[in-house]
DNA sequence: CCGTAACCGAGACGGTACGTCACGTCTTCCA
DNA sequence: TGGAAGACGTGACGTACCGTCTCGGTTACGG
């Protein structure tokens, strides 16, 4: 799956089992709903998927990448970006949704992956490419629209804007040092858009 | 050390070896400069400190908490907060310094700890209490001064302000999806203070 | 090996490595020739056998039972019982051989096992079943022939006869309080067969 | 205790605590009634005796020798040898008593010591000198009387006679492969005195 | 009658082996 | 020839007991 690329052009012998792959991803996803990434063992996955451990390692170089695919495949679906006509509203809306999802047991994976990536640069890289990048690219659309409509100042890089908005969420998700709910989402976008400085209304 | 609490004024029996504790923390710190937290084994620490593994486990429930103490003890020193007369300048200054430190090999620990904490709530909790909290409390002073001087709007919670400023840094440190240097530090505080929205008026 | 029971006619998956098992037993045997049973560590065995410690513990519950199998497998070979036509000569002959063997560095295992068994009833039980019993059963043949030929009084239990002959040897082997050589072997069987009492010749 | 030898001619400083020593021996003895020798840890003894571990190691080189002293001190008392006028009766009587004692929970120490001695020649040596030798010397008296009275053939060494009688018991105590009771005691001495061979004459 | 040496309890220490766990690889047989 | 079963080597884990070593404090001799 990591390198699906070209669909197999027909090979001799038994063909790769699509069922096995699906079972592996499904099992991984379910397990990740219950345990943290590194409490899920490769044997857990194999057993639950009714699959051999060797089959897993045949197609993925390690456990983490299985999880990445499992979560990635799933989230590819629900990538939809609001378009209310206001960048601020769009960001607020998306931030709220994102927070709700990532706080759910099924959604802690973002943190798990970031955590896993700290000890595995290769994995972190893939995580960015296959997980983060697509989402961020979608969100950049909001930013671009905002800039185009004259809602957002041009001098700030789009990437930076995303980090200004989602960085605080990521921080709180990972460190858990403060509340994280719809109210915070509103406050964050409000602050990012309007700034925390008092107008120097001399 | 994890629970030093009240240092008992006089205890019977052989006193806990200060040398051993110091050696453990020192060794841990040095090892953390070279390897990631979970590549440092308890035996590494024991060997390098010239200490028995059992001694480590007598005082710390696991390796992570040793590392926490090691780093904590060290950083307790260099907690100093700028005071230029401008909250924005103070935050910018501190953000720059912090970025430099956390990007150094010796400073990756913040990420390691956040990563470790994802699989160990108890550890995460302690990390917040003993590592995060003191730093944040110090930084709140900057915010408070800003509010008092009329530089910062009262309606934003101080904790939120910290996350607005440091969240983006944490995010980039952990995910590595974008650059992180002095220039970014300036851009972040600029954006957080002034907002990314275009003034509507003209 | 500890519970080979019925060798399953065909099993799925990778078969248990005969080479590994043989290497383990061989290594154990060699180590036992040099050190006492409890100076031989499981890591010694693993290293010398080029095998993982986990593999050892997969098949044997502990080190002692490995040793038991190692020695047992070896001694299964040289179980041969003399048949000179005289029970007394047979016993004497066998006692001599046995003494020579058990006094050799490679043969101290009987004592090691008896020693180990004092702290582990389960091990002692297995030692009896897999080590002692077969040897004693073989030796009972000598006794039976003696009874059949009218050389030995019927009123003594065969088991008791074995203990009368081998008990003194075991005692001296373990306690080391007296010499133990061919001469003693002769004296023991002589005494056991003819008694130490003076005939009341009147 | 191990080397009391000459009572100290008066030393400066605090005197050795008789109470501590007694407590250690008492505690050891009680623990040996419940657990096997090497399940009794030095800390068990220290705790139960209300004594410091260092105090133990100050006077005894290791745990086993403490146990030896503990048991030795106790058994020094009940060394009494029957004198019925018949060596065979005397031996039978003593064998019965001995079996009863050694089969009791408190009396398993003989086996424990022999077991412990297999890995510690020095300990085994001391065990022989301080435990075995005195008992055997006492029992030799029975043998000597038997010889003097013309009950026992002169050509057998006294030491050998003891092993003929007590070897089977030791063997069964340690290996547990056969019953051991009064009946066996009678059978053993009967066999040893009269021999197991059928008289050839008729 | 005071100093000092030898003792004592408590308990921390370095060391060594234990048996367990998860990883990712390898081997065998079956479909 | 792909895949399930499952055994394998590796290497870290945290625990247990050993016998040693400080501590602070307690006798009791000898000056």
């Amino acid at each position: 799956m990591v390198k699906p690329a070209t669909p197999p052009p027909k090979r001799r012998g038994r063909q790769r089992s699509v069922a096995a792959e699906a079972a592996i991803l499904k099992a991984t996803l379910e397990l990740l709903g219950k345990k943290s990434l590194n409490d899920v063992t490769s044997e857990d996955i194999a057993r639950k998927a009714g699959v051999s451990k060797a089959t897993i390692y045949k197609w993925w170089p390690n456990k983490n990448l299985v999880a990445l695919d499992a979560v990635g495949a799933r989230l590819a679906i629900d990538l939809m970006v609001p378009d209310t006509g206001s960048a601020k509203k769009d960001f607020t809306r998306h931030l709220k949704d994102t927070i709700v999802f990532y706080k759910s047991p099924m959604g802690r994976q973002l943190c798990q992956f970031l955590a896993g990536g700290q000890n595995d640069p290769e994995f972190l890289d893939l995580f960015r490419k296959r997980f983060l990048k697509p989402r961020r690219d979608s969100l950049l659309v909001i930013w671009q629209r905002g800039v185009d409509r004259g809602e957002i100042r041009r001098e700030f890089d789009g990437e930076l804007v995303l980090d200004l908005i989602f960085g605080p969420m990521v921080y709180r998700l990972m460190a858990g040092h403060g509340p994280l709910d719809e109210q915070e989402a509103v406050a964050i976008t409000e602050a990012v858009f309007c700034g925390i400085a008092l107008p120097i209304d001399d």
Side-chain angles (χ1 to χ4, degrees), chain A residues 131-149:
Chain A
F131 186 104
L132 231 45
K133 187 76 166 23
R135 279 160 195 74
R136 292 177 67 88
D137 285 348
S138 302
L139 293 169
L140 277 179
V141 171
I142 300 181
W143 166 76
Q144 188 62 57
R145 286 194 303 240
V147 171
D148 293 345
R149 285 191 298 247

mmCIF file with all atom_site columns, all heavy atoms in Angstrom, chain A residues 131-149:
data_model
loop_
_atom_site.group_PDB
_atom_site.id
_atom_site.type_symbol
_atom_site.label_atom_id
_atom_site.label_alt_id
_atom_site.label_comp_id
_atom_site.label_asym_id
_atom_site.label_entity_id
_atom_site.label_seq_id
_atom_site.pdbx_PDB_ins_code
_atom_site.Cartn_x
_atom_site.Cartn_y
_atom_site.Cartn_z
_atom_site.occupancy
_atom_site.B_iso_or_equiv
_atom_site.pdbx_formal_charge
_atom_site.auth_seq_id
_atom_site.auth_comp_id
_atom_site.auth_asym_id
_atom_site.auth_atom_id
_atom_site.pdbx_PDB_model_num
ATOM 1   N N   . PHE A 1 131 ? -0.547  12.691 5.276  1.00 0.00 ? 131 PHE A N   1
ATOM 2   C CA  . PHE A 1 131 ? -1.624  13.011 6.206  1.00 0.00 ? 131 PHE A CA  1
ATOM 3   C C   . PHE A 1 131 ? -1.790  14.524 6.318  1.00 0.00 ? 131 PHE A C   1
ATOM 4   O O   . PHE A 1 131 ? -2.855  15.078 6.057  1.00 0.00 ? 131 PHE A O   1
ATOM 5   C CB  . PHE A 1 131 ? -1.284  12.399 7.567  1.00 0.00 ? 131 PHE A CB  1
ATOM 6   C CG  . PHE A 1 131 ? -2.352  12.520 8.604  1.00 0.00 ? 131 PHE A CG  1
ATOM 7   C CD1 . PHE A 1 131 ? -3.153  11.430 8.950  1.00 0.00 ? 131 PHE A CD1 1
ATOM 8   C CD2 . PHE A 1 131 ? -2.564  13.719 9.280  1.00 0.00 ? 131 PHE A CD2 1
ATOM 9   C CE1 . PHE A 1 131 ? -4.139  11.547 9.922  1.00 0.00 ? 131 PHE A CE1 1
ATOM 10  C CE2 . PHE A 1 131 ? -3.548  13.838 10.241 1.00 0.00 ? 131 PHE A CE2 1
ATOM 11  C CZ  . PHE A 1 131 ? -4.340  12.756 10.568 1.00 0.00 ? 131 PHE A CZ  1
ATOM 12  N N   . LEU A 1 132 ? -0.697  15.154 6.673  1.00 0.00 ? 132 LEU A N   1
ATOM 13  C CA  . LEU A 1 132 ? -0.769  16.584 6.962  1.00 0.00 ? 132 LEU A CA  1
ATOM 14  C C   . LEU A 1 132 ? -0.954  17.401 5.676  1.00 0.00 ? 132 LEU A C   1
ATOM 15  O O   . LEU A 1 132 ? -1.839  18.256 5.576  1.00 0.00 ? 132 LEU A O   1
ATOM 16  C CB  . LEU A 1 132 ? 0.530   17.002 7.658  1.00 0.00 ? 132 LEU A CB  1
ATOM 17  C CG  . LEU A 1 132 ? 0.387   17.783 8.956  1.00 0.00 ? 132 LEU A CG  1
ATOM 18  C CD1 . LEU A 1 132 ? -0.650  17.160 9.855  1.00 0.00 ? 132 LEU A CD1 1
ATOM 19  C CD2 . LEU A 1 132 ? 1.732   17.837 9.665  1.00 0.00 ? 132 LEU A CD2 1
ATOM 20  N N   . LYS A 1 133 ? -0.097  17.135 4.727  1.00 0.00 ? 133 LYS A N   1
ATOM 21  C CA  . LYS A 1 133 ? -0.063  17.940 3.506  1.00 0.00 ? 133 LYS A CA  1
ATOM 22  C C   . LYS A 1 133 ? -1.452  18.070 2.850  1.00 0.00 ? 133 LYS A C   1
ATOM 23  O O   . LYS A 1 133 ? -1.918  19.199 2.610  1.00 0.00 ? 133 LYS A O   1
ATOM 24  C CB  . LYS A 1 133 ? 0.942   17.332 2.523  1.00 0.00 ? 133 LYS A CB  1
ATOM 25  C CG  . LYS A 1 133 ? 1.204   18.140 1.273  1.00 0.00 ? 133 LYS A CG  1
ATOM 26  C CD  . LYS A 1 133 ? 2.107   19.334 1.562  1.00 0.00 ? 133 LYS A CD  1
ATOM 27  C CE  . LYS A 1 133 ? 2.662   19.976 0.277  1.00 0.00 ? 133 LYS A CE  1
ATOM 28  N NZ  . LYS A 1 133 ? 1.937   19.786 -0.965 1.00 0.00 ? 133 LYS A NZ  1
ATOM 29  N N   . PRO A 1 134 ? -2.124  16.968 2.577  1.00 0.00 ? 134 PRO A N   1
ATOM 30  C CA  . PRO A 1 134 ? -3.425  17.085 1.907  1.00 0.00 ? 134 PRO A CA  1
ATOM 31  C C   . PRO A 1 134 ? -4.398  17.961 2.677  1.00 0.00 ? 134 PRO A C   1
ATOM 32  O O   . PRO A 1 134 ? -5.089  18.796 2.099  1.00 0.00 ? 134 PRO A O   1
ATOM 33  C CB  . PRO A 1 134 ? -3.927  15.649 1.862  1.00 0.00 ? 134 PRO A CB  1
ATOM 34  C CG  . PRO A 1 134 ? -2.759  14.783 2.098  1.00 0.00 ? 134 PRO A CG  1
ATOM 35  C CD  . PRO A 1 134 ? -1.748  15.581 2.845  1.00 0.00 ? 134 PRO A CD  1
ATOM 36  N N   . ARG A 1 135 ? -4.410  17.771 3.995  1.00 0.00 ? 135 ARG A N   1
ATOM 37  C CA  . ARG A 1 135 ? -5.326  18.580 4.796  1.00 0.00 ? 135 ARG A CA  1
ATOM 38  C C   . ARG A 1 135 ? -4.951  20.061 4.736  1.00 0.00 ? 135 ARG A C   1
ATOM 39  O O   . ARG A 1 135 ? -5.810  20.932 4.589  1.00 0.00 ? 135 ARG A O   1
ATOM 40  C CB  . ARG A 1 135 ? -5.319  18.093 6.242  1.00 0.00 ? 135 ARG A CB  1
ATOM 41  C CG  . ARG A 1 135 ? -6.203  16.886 6.446  1.00 0.00 ? 135 ARG A CG  1
ATOM 42  C CD  . ARG A 1 135 ? -5.895  16.082 7.661  1.00 0.00 ? 135 ARG A CD  1
ATOM 43  N NE  . ARG A 1 135 ? -6.566  14.793 7.553  1.00 0.00 ? 135 ARG A NE  1
ATOM 44  C CZ  . ARG A 1 135 ? -6.150  13.839 6.730  1.00 0.00 ? 135 ARG A CZ  1
ATOM 45  N NH1 . ARG A 1 135 ? -5.080  13.995 5.986  1.00 0.00 ? 135 ARG A NH1 1
ATOM 46  N NH2 . ARG A 1 135 ? -6.826  12.713 6.638  1.00 0.00 ? 135 ARG A NH2 1
ATOM 47  N N   . ARG A 1 136 ? -3.675  20.293 4.866  1.00 0.00 ? 136 ARG A N   1
ATOM 48  C CA  . ARG A 1 136 ? -3.238  21.688 4.857  1.00 0.00 ? 136 ARG A CA  1
ATOM 49  C C   . ARG A 1 136 ? -3.489  22.323 3.485  1.00 0.00 ? 136 ARG A C   1
ATOM 50  O O   . ARG A 1 136 ? -3.903  23.488 3.396  1.00 0.00 ? 136 ARG A O   1
ATOM 51  C CB  . ARG A 1 136 ? -1.761  21.785 5.245  1.00 0.00 ? 136 ARG A CB  1
ATOM 52  C CG  . ARG A 1 136 ? -1.530  21.403 6.711  1.00 0.00 ? 136 ARG A CG  1
ATOM 53  C CD  . ARG A 1 136 ? -0.045  21.433 7.062  1.00 0.00 ? 136 ARG A CD  1
ATOM 54  N NE  . ARG A 1 136 ? 0.499   22.783 7.030  1.00 0.00 ? 136 ARG A NE  1
ATOM 55  C CZ  . ARG A 1 136 ? 0.500   23.625 8.052  1.00 0.00 ? 136 ARG A CZ  1
ATOM 56  N NH1 . ARG A 1 136 ? -0.039  23.247 9.199  1.00 0.00 ? 136 ARG A NH1 1
ATOM 57  N NH2 . ARG A 1 136 ? 1.000   24.832 7.932  1.00 0.00 ? 136 ARG A NH2 1
ATOM 58  N N   . ASP A 1 137 ? -3.248  21.575 2.445  1.00 0.00 ? 137 ASP A N   1
ATOM 59  C CA  . ASP A 1 137 ? -3.504  22.120 1.119  1.00 0.00 ? 137 ASP A CA  1
ATOM 60  C C   . ASP A 1 137 ? -4.975  22.505 0.969  1.00 0.00 ? 137 ASP A C   1
ATOM 61  O O   . ASP A 1 137 ? -5.302  23.559 0.421  1.00 0.00 ? 137 ASP A O   1
ATOM 62  C CB  . ASP A 1 137 ? -3.111  21.109 0.041  1.00 0.00 ? 137 ASP A CB  1
ATOM 63  C CG  . ASP A 1 137 ? -1.597  21.034 -0.107 1.00 0.00 ? 137 ASP A CG  1
ATOM 64  O OD1 . ASP A 1 137 ? -0.909  21.916 0.449  1.00 0.00 ? 137 ASP A OD1 1
ATOM 65  O OD2 . ASP A 1 137 ? -1.104  20.099 -0.757 1.00 0.00 ? 137 ASP A OD2 1
ATOM 66  N N   . SER A 1 138 ? -5.819  21.655 1.489  1.00 0.00 ? 138 SER A N   1
ATOM 67  C CA  . SER A 1 138 ? -7.242  21.987 1.411  1.00 0.00 ? 138 SER A CA  1
ATOM 68  C C   . SER A 1 138 ? -7.539  23.276 2.181  1.00 0.00 ? 138 SER A C   1
ATOM 69  O O   . SER A 1 138 ? -8.295  24.134 1.730  1.00 0.00 ? 138 SER A O   1
ATOM 70  C CB  . SER A 1 138 ? -8.087  20.866 2.012  1.00 0.00 ? 138 SER A CB  1
ATOM 71  O OG  . SER A 1 138 ? -7.829  19.656 1.340  1.00 0.00 ? 138 SER A OG  1
ATOM 72  N N   . LEU A 1 139 ? -6.913  23.363 3.338  1.00 0.00 ? 139 LEU A N   1
ATOM 73  C CA  . LEU A 1 139 ? -7.211  24.531 4.164  1.00 0.00 ? 139 LEU A CA  1
ATOM 74  C C   . LEU A 1 139 ? -6.611  25.812 3.587  1.00 0.00 ? 139 LEU A C   1
ATOM 75  O O   . LEU A 1 139 ? -7.130  26.913 3.805  1.00 0.00 ? 139 LEU A O   1
ATOM 76  C CB  . LEU A 1 139 ? -6.690  24.304 5.586  1.00 0.00 ? 139 LEU A CB  1
ATOM 77  C CG  . LEU A 1 139 ? -7.437  23.195 6.334  1.00 0.00 ? 139 LEU A CG  1
ATOM 78  C CD1 . LEU A 1 139 ? -6.715  22.841 7.621  1.00 0.00 ? 139 LEU A CD1 1
ATOM 79  C CD2 . LEU A 1 139 ? -8.875  23.631 6.625  1.00 0.00 ? 139 LEU A CD2 1
ATOM 80  N N   . LEU A 1 140 ? -5.551  25.645 2.850  1.00 0.00 ? 140 LEU A N   1
ATOM 81  C CA  . LEU A 1 140 ? -4.952  26.836 2.232  1.00 0.00 ? 140 LEU A CA  1
ATOM 82  C C   . LEU A 1 140 ? -5.952  27.535 1.306  1.00 0.00 ? 140 LEU A C   1
ATOM 83  O O   . LEU A 1 140 ? -5.860  28.747 1.072  1.00 0.00 ? 140 LEU A O   1
ATOM 84  C CB  . LEU A 1 140 ? -3.684  26.457 1.456  1.00 0.00 ? 140 LEU A CB  1
ATOM 85  C CG  . LEU A 1 140 ? -2.411  26.347 2.296  1.00 0.00 ? 140 LEU A CG  1
ATOM 86  C CD1 . LEU A 1 140 ? -1.229  25.951 1.429  1.00 0.00 ? 140 LEU A CD1 1
ATOM 87  C CD2 . LEU A 1 140 ? -2.136  27.670 3.016  1.00 0.00 ? 140 LEU A CD2 1
ATOM 88  N N   . VAL A 1 141 ? -6.867  26.745 0.815  1.00 0.00 ? 141 VAL A N   1
ATOM 89  C CA  . VAL A 1 141 ? -7.905  27.316 -0.054 1.00 0.00 ? 141 VAL A CA  1
ATOM 90  C C   . VAL A 1 141 ? -8.680  28.397 0.701  1.00 0.00 ? 141 VAL A C   1
ATOM 91  O O   . VAL A 1 141 ? -8.975  29.468 0.157  1.00 0.00 ? 141 VAL A O   1
ATOM 92  C CB  . VAL A 1 141 ? -8.855  26.214 -0.561 1.00 0.00 ? 141 VAL A CB  1
ATOM 93  C CG1 . VAL A 1 141 ? -10.041 26.822 -1.280 1.00 0.00 ? 141 VAL A CG1 1
ATOM 94  C CG2 . VAL A 1 141 ? -8.091  25.246 -1.459 1.00 0.00 ? 141 VAL A CG2 1
ATOM 95  N N   . ILE A 1 142 ? -8.985  28.083 1.939  1.00 0.00 ? 142 ILE A N   1
ATOM 96  C CA  . ILE A 1 142 ? -9.691  29.074 2.746  1.00 0.00 ? 142 ILE A CA  1
ATOM 97  C C   . ILE A 1 142 ? -8.873  30.361 2.839  1.00 0.00 ? 142 ILE A C   1
ATOM 98  O O   . ILE A 1 142 ? -9.361  31.458 2.640  1.00 0.00 ? 142 ILE A O   1
ATOM 99  C CB  . ILE A 1 142 ? -9.961  28.541 4.181  1.00 0.00 ? 142 ILE A CB  1
ATOM 100 C CG1 . ILE A 1 142 ? -10.811 27.270 4.130  1.00 0.00 ? 142 ILE A CG1 1
ATOM 101 C CG2 . ILE A 1 142 ? -10.646 29.614 5.016  1.00 0.00 ? 142 ILE A CG2 1
ATOM 102 C CD1 . ILE A 1 142 ? -11.143 26.702 5.493  1.00 0.00 ? 142 ILE A CD1 1
ATOM 103 N N   . TRP A 1 143 ? -7.599  30.144 3.163  1.00 0.00 ? 143 TRP A N   1
ATOM 104 C CA  . TRP A 1 143 ? -6.712  31.296 3.283  1.00 0.00 ? 143 TRP A CA  1
ATOM 105 C C   . TRP A 1 143 ? -6.658  32.086 1.973  1.00 0.00 ? 143 TRP A C   1
ATOM 106 O O   . TRP A 1 143 ? -6.810  33.302 1.954  1.00 0.00 ? 143 TRP A O   1
ATOM 107 C CB  . TRP A 1 143 ? -5.311  30.837 3.672  1.00 0.00 ? 143 TRP A CB  1
ATOM 108 C CG  . TRP A 1 143 ? -4.253  31.885 3.515  1.00 0.00 ? 143 TRP A CG  1
ATOM 109 C CD1 . TRP A 1 143 ? -4.032  32.937 4.334  1.00 0.00 ? 143 TRP A CD1 1
ATOM 110 C CD2 . TRP A 1 143 ? -3.296  31.992 2.459  1.00 0.00 ? 143 TRP A CD2 1
ATOM 111 N NE1 . TRP A 1 143 ? -2.993  33.699 3.882  1.00 0.00 ? 143 TRP A NE1 1
ATOM 112 C CE2 . TRP A 1 143 ? -2.517  33.138 2.727  1.00 0.00 ? 143 TRP A CE2 1
ATOM 113 C CE3 . TRP A 1 143 ? -3.022  31.229 1.311  1.00 0.00 ? 143 TRP A CE3 1
ATOM 114 C CZ2 . TRP A 1 143 ? -1.486  33.535 1.879  1.00 0.00 ? 143 TRP A CZ2 1
ATOM 115 C CZ3 . TRP A 1 143 ? -1.996  31.616 0.489  1.00 0.00 ? 143 TRP A CZ3 1
ATOM 116 C CH2 . TRP A 1 143 ? -1.232  32.767 0.759  1.00 0.00 ? 143 TRP A CH2 1
ATOM 117 N N   . GLN A 1 144 ? -6.481  31.359 0.863  1.00 0.00 ? 144 GLN A N   1
ATOM 118 C CA  . GLN A 1 144 ? -6.357  32.015 -0.426 1.00 0.00 ? 144 GLN A CA  1
ATOM 119 C C   . GLN A 1 144 ? -7.605  32.840 -0.743 1.00 0.00 ? 144 GLN A C   1
ATOM 120 O O   . GLN A 1 144 ? -7.524  34.001 -1.170 1.00 0.00 ? 144 GLN A O   1
ATOM 121 C CB  . GLN A 1 144 ? -6.133  30.967 -1.516 1.00 0.00 ? 144 GLN A CB  1
ATOM 122 C CG  . GLN A 1 144 ? -5.790  31.572 -2.877 1.00 0.00 ? 144 GLN A CG  1
ATOM 123 C CD  . GLN A 1 144 ? -4.481  32.369 -2.823 1.00 0.00 ? 144 GLN A CD  1
ATOM 124 O OE1 . GLN A 1 144 ? -3.439  31.840 -2.461 1.00 0.00 ? 144 GLN A OE1 1
ATOM 125 N NE2 . GLN A 1 144 ? -4.540  33.653 -3.147 1.00 0.00 ? 144 GLN A NE2 1
ATOM 126 N N   . ARG A 1 145 ? -8.738  32.242 -0.456 1.00 0.00 ? 145 ARG A N   1
ATOM 127 C CA  . ARG A 1 145 ? -9.986  32.976 -0.687 1.00 0.00 ? 145 ARG A CA  1
ATOM 128 C C   . ARG A 1 145 ? -10.036 34.234 0.169  1.00 0.00 ? 145 ARG A C   1
ATOM 129 O O   . ARG A 1 145 ? -10.451 35.294 -0.268 1.00 0.00 ? 145 ARG A O   1
ATOM 130 C CB  . ARG A 1 145 ? -11.190 32.080 -0.366 1.00 0.00 ? 145 ARG A CB  1
ATOM 131 C CG  . ARG A 1 145 ? -11.447 31.005 -1.416 1.00 0.00 ? 145 ARG A CG  1
ATOM 132 C CD  . ARG A 1 145 ? -12.825 30.372 -1.249 1.00 0.00 ? 145 ARG A CD  1
ATOM 133 N NE  . ARG A 1 145 ? -13.034 29.780 0.072  1.00 0.00 ? 145 ARG A NE  1
ATOM 134 C CZ  . ARG A 1 145 ? -13.313 28.482 0.291  1.00 0.00 ? 145 ARG A CZ  1
ATOM 135 N NH1 . ARG A 1 145 ? -13.381 27.645 -0.739 1.00 0.00 ? 145 ARG A NH1 1
ATOM 136 N NH2 . ARG A 1 145 ? -13.501 28.029 1.498  1.00 0.00 ? 145 ARG A NH2 1
ATOM 137 N N   . GLY A 1 146 ? -9.593  34.084 1.393  1.00 0.00 ? 146 GLY A N   1
ATOM 138 C CA  . GLY A 1 146 ? -9.572  35.240 2.293  1.00 0.00 ? 146 GLY A CA  1
ATOM 139 C C   . GLY A 1 146 ? -8.686  36.355 1.763  1.00 0.00 ? 146 GLY A C   1
ATOM 140 O O   . GLY A 1 146 ? -9.055  37.539 1.793  1.00 0.00 ? 146 GLY A O   1
ATOM 141 N N   . VAL A 1 147 ? -7.525  35.952 1.292  1.00 0.00 ? 147 VAL A N   1
ATOM 142 C CA  . VAL A 1 147 ? -6.608  36.942 0.741  1.00 0.00 ? 147 VAL A CA  1
ATOM 143 C C   . VAL A 1 147 ? -7.247  37.604 -0.482 1.00 0.00 ? 147 VAL A C   1
ATOM 144 O O   . VAL A 1 147 ? -7.256  38.841 -0.617 1.00 0.00 ? 147 VAL A O   1
ATOM 145 C CB  . VAL A 1 147 ? -5.271  36.296 0.356  1.00 0.00 ? 147 VAL A CB  1
ATOM 146 C CG1 . VAL A 1 147 ? -4.398  37.278 -0.427 1.00 0.00 ? 147 VAL A CG1 1
ATOM 147 C CG2 . VAL A 1 147 ? -4.544  35.803 1.605  1.00 0.00 ? 147 VAL A CG2 1
ATOM 148 N N   . ASP A 1 148 ? -7.791  36.746 -1.343 1.00 0.00 ? 148 ASP A N   1
ATOM 149 C CA  . ASP A 1 148 ? -8.383  37.268 -2.576 1.00 0.00 ? 148 ASP A CA  1
ATOM 150 C C   . ASP A 1 148 ? -9.533  38.228 -2.284 1.00 0.00 ? 148 ASP A C   1
ATOM 151 O O   . ASP A 1 148 ? -9.723  39.225 -2.973 1.00 0.00 ? 148 ASP A O   1
ATOM 152 C CB  . ASP A 1 148 ? -8.900  36.122 -3.450 1.00 0.00 ? 148 ASP A CB  1
ATOM 153 C CG  . ASP A 1 148 ? -7.749  35.269 -3.976 1.00 0.00 ? 148 ASP A CG  1
ATOM 154 O OD1 . ASP A 1 148 ? -6.594  35.738 -3.903 1.00 0.00 ? 148 ASP A OD1 1
ATOM 155 O OD2 . ASP A 1 148 ? -8.002  34.127 -4.417 1.00 0.00 ? 148 ASP A OD2 1
ATOM 156 N N   . ARG A 1 149 ? -10.287 37.912 -1.267 1.00 0.00 ? 149 ARG A N   1
ATOM 157 C CA  . ARG A 1 149 ? -11.427 38.770 -0.952 1.00 0.00 ? 149 ARG A CA  1
ATOM 158 C C   . ARG A 1 149 ? -11.014 39.981 -0.130 1.00 0.00 ? 149 ARG A C   1
ATOM 159 O O   . ARG A 1 149 ? -11.868 40.747 0.306  1.00 0.00 ? 149 ARG A O   1
ATOM 160 C CB  . ARG A 1 149 ? -12.459 37.962 -0.162 1.00 0.00 ? 149 ARG A CB  1
ATOM 161 C CG  . ARG A 1 149 ? -13.255 36.995 -1.024 1.00 0.00 ? 149 ARG A CG  1
ATOM 162 C CD  . ARG A 1 149 ? -14.432 36.420 -0.256 1.00 0.00 ? 149 ARG A CD  1
ATOM 163 N NE  . ARG A 1 149 ? -14.026 35.650 0.913  1.00 0.00 ? 149 ARG A NE  1
ATOM 164 C CZ  . ARG A 1 149 ? -14.209 34.314 1.012  1.00 0.00 ? 149 ARG A CZ  1
ATOM 165 N NH1 . ARG A 1 149 ? -14.778 33.633 0.019  1.00 0.00 ? 149 ARG A NH1 1
ATOM 166 N NH2 . ARG A 1 149 ? -13.834 33.681 2.078  1.00 0.00 ? 149 ARG A NH2 1
#
